Structure formats: C-alpha cells, structure tokens
Amino acid sequence: MSELNLRPYQKQCLDDIKKYIDIGVNRQLIVWPTGSGKGSLIAWIPQTLGMKKGEQFLVAVHRNDLVTQTAKRIQRYNKNLIVDVEQGDSRANKYADVIVASIQSISRENRLHRFNPATFRYVFVDEAHVIPGSNQYLKTLQYFGALKDTPEFDATKYVFGCTATPDRPDG
C-alpha cells in the first residue's frame, strides 16, 4: 500500500499516532465519523509503529462482519506479518503477529487464556465508546494489561481506541 492510497487526514492521523508515541503517550483515542476509513488506518498501524519480531497486536471489534474484513485488509498491506482471526469457530494461531477478534469470542475465558498477554504490545479497540459499559471489553483489556487501575496494568502497552461518538449519553 502506498501513501497515495491514504487520504490526507488518515496520513495525518498516523503521523500524530507516531508523534504522540514518541513523546510517551501510549493511550490514544481516534475520533472519526462512520465511513472515514478506519480499516485503512488500522492496516497501516503495524508499519507506523514499526512492530518488531515477537510483538503482537490485538484488534478487537464488535461486529462479526468487521473481523474478516479487517484481517484481510491488514494482511494485504502487511505481507510480512501473520494475521489471524479469533471468531466463532475460527481459532487464531496464538503466535500470529496480528489477531483480529470479535469481542464476543475473545472475551470468553477459554479463548482469552490461550494467549500470552506479555507478548501483546498493541491493542486496538473499534467503537471504543462502549468500553466503560462492556464487561467483555473490560475483561479483555484487563487480561492484556491494557486497563488502568488493575493489577495486570502494564504502562508499556499501547492502546488505541476509535469511535465516532466519544461522549456517552450515560456519562
């Protein structure tokens, strides 16, 4: 994928992600409207972050149709990475570089505990505005060391959330 395929705001967002990481901001929220190209953004994040051998990246989504679509897009633009799916009857290779998962599947105890949280350096959550009210997201983030104020919390993890609606009506 060349930068010509990215819209200017997508390229700017990737530049901003890198800039903020470079100054120590490892929790970032991306606020974009529906249809603005999150899939392309997610596909570029491994390159932007310069993922290293042995690091893993979890992408958690809430809709089943997004799992396969997102995994295919990430693989298309990161041919050197192993991208796999954790959803329904599909079990991801626990050593894959990138695991795209439905939150409904990965949050189950028997599935969650297949993965080594220490190797997951990056976590991306689609529709991040639902996290505070979702036991599935909270449990998954806690397991991977990405949830503040829990014993598992690891401040060296990078967590990205994306949403079109950052302000929840329930506060």
Side-chain angles (χ1 to χ4, degrees):
M1 179 176 188
S2 76
E3 289 185 14
L4 297 176
N5 296 83
L6 290 173
R7 297 177 190 141
Y9 64 88
Q10 292 168 317
K11 173 77 172 95
Q12 183 63 54
C13 184
L14 290 165
D15 290 345
D16 288 345
I17 286 171
K18 182 70 172 128
K19 176 179 78 175
Y20 285 109
I21 283 175
D22 289 346
I23 62 170
V25 178
N26 57 359
R27 304 281 182 279
Q28 299 182 33
L29 181 64
I30 300 148
V31 180
W32 279 6
T34 303
S36 56
K38 287 182 298 195
S40 294
L41 176 78
I42 295 168
W44 268 88
I45 287 178
Q47 294 174 46
T48 299
L49 301 176
M51 278 183 64
K52 295 175 180 52
K53 186 84 172 150
E55 293 180 335
Q56 290 182 284
F57 182 19
L58 172 66
V59 178
V61 299
H62 72 292
R63 286 192 2 233
N64 288 335
D65 58 320
L66 291 177
V67 176
T68 304
Q69 177 184 334
T70 302
K72 285 180 180 177
R73 183 167 288 169
I74 293 170
Q75 187 67 77
R76 185 178 333 140
Y77 301 125
N78 296 276
K79 298 202 184 298
N80 60 324
L81 298 178
I82 297 169
V83 180
D84 213 344
V85 166
E86 184 76 17
Q87 171 195 29
D89 292 333
S90 298
R91 301 291 190 277
N93 174 338
K94 64 183 180 178
Y95 302 108
D97 301 301
V98 179
I99 294 177
V100 182
S102 71
I103 194 62
Q104 298 86 349
S105 293
I106 197 154
S107 63
R108 293 186 184 143
E109 292 290 325
N110 64 327
R111 295 181 88 149
L112 196 57
H113 292 282
R114 291 181 50 239
F115 301 101
N116 178 0
T119 60
F120 282 82
R121 184 146 188 228
Y122 310 102
V123 177
F124 187 98
V125 178
D126 188 27
E127 301 299 338
H129 64 278
V130 302
I131 293 171
S134 169
N135 286 334
Q136 292 174 324
Y137 277 107
L138 293 171
K139 180 168 122 181
T140 302
L141 290 172
Q142 181 174 352
Y143 179 78
F144 286 103
L147 187 62
K148 286 186 174 184
D149 301 323
T150 64
E152 298 84 0
F153 179 65
D154 180 348
T156 67
K157 304 269 179 163
Y158 295 96
V159 182
F160 308 95
C162 195
T163 183
T165 54
D167 298 315
R168 292 173 50 102
D170 63 0

